Amino acid sequence: MEAPCDFAWPELPLLAQELLRRHWRMATAESCTGGLVAAACTELPGSSQWFDGGLVTYATPWKIRLLGVPQETVQTHGVVSLPVVEAMLAGLQTLHGVQAGIAVSGIAGPGGALPHRPVGTVALGAFAGERRQCLLLHFPGDRHQVRLSAARRVLQLLQEQLAP
């Protein structure tokens, strides 16, 4: 089995170059990916010039305390939802002062499925300055595959938000 953070995302250096060009800082708020995105970012030499840090807010109380996600939002929409990911992004931007970031919350399995949220359901989002997008997706595969797919997709989404 491949190591949890051993995945290739060949365009990550381009993302880093764009953040450096803009003099922007980036951070991550991860749940089901457990820090995979932060690990990928810090694999690049010189990442301290553009990457501030990552929060692994696996438990809901951590999302609330460290990112300012309103408890009412979690209760109304569920933790794997677009409103929660939007609140996670807002927390990164306002509480942690970065200009770019990603957020991920999902059900990687094998357990945890709900009738309306099967295993593989992931809410993810990215912002770059005022540009922001959140998606609710379903990734096939086992726990490892779901986590890697979510990490890849959210990095791609951030790259899209940074594009002119």
Side-chain angles (χ1 to χ4, degrees):
M1 183 167 146
E2 96 184 61
C5 64
D6 184 24
F7 65 95
W9 199 69
E11 293 161 353
L12 190 55
L14 297 174
L15 185 146
Q17 288 173 359
E18 183 59 24
L19 290 168
L20 282 169
R21 185 186 73 74
R22 296 180 188 205
H23 303 285
W24 281 6
R25 307 294 297 179
M26 176 195 164
T28 63
E30 301 179 69
S31 186
C32 69
T33 50
L36 288 174
V37 177
C41 291
T42 58
E43 280 292 315
L44 289 177
S47 57
S48 62
Q49 296 174 13
W50 53 270
F51 185 75
D52 274 359
L55 299 170
V56 178
T57 56
Y58 205 67
T60 301
W62 279 52
K63 289 174 182 66
I64 293 167
R65 277 196 310 268
L66 298 176
L67 294 166
V69 174
Q71 188 161 352
E72 308 80 53
T73 302
V74 174
Q75 290 170 340
T76 302
H77 302 282
V79 73
V80 180
S81 67
L82 294 176
V84 166
V85 165
E86 290 168 358
M88 291 168 72
L89 290 174
L92 281 178
Q93 196 168 26
T94 59
L95 298 174
H96 301 284
V98 293
Q99 296 83 22
I102 65 94
V104 182
S105 184
I107 305 168
L114 300 169
H116 62 287
R117 296 279 193 261
V119 168
T121 302
V122 178
L124 51 83
F127 75 90
E130 297 302 314
R131 296 180 72 179
R132 171 182 318 254
Q133 186 175 5
C134 297
L135 304 170
L136 184 65
L137 303 170
H138 183 268
F139 297 107
D142 63 16
R143 180 178 183 81
H144 183 71
Q145 292 165 323
V146 168
R147 294 174 74 225
L148 287 177
S149 295
R152 285 182 182 116
R153 184 61 184 105
V154 77
L155 281 168
Q156 290 168 350
L157 188 60
L158 178 57
Q159 182 71 35
E160 293 165 14
Q161 299 311 299
L162 285 165

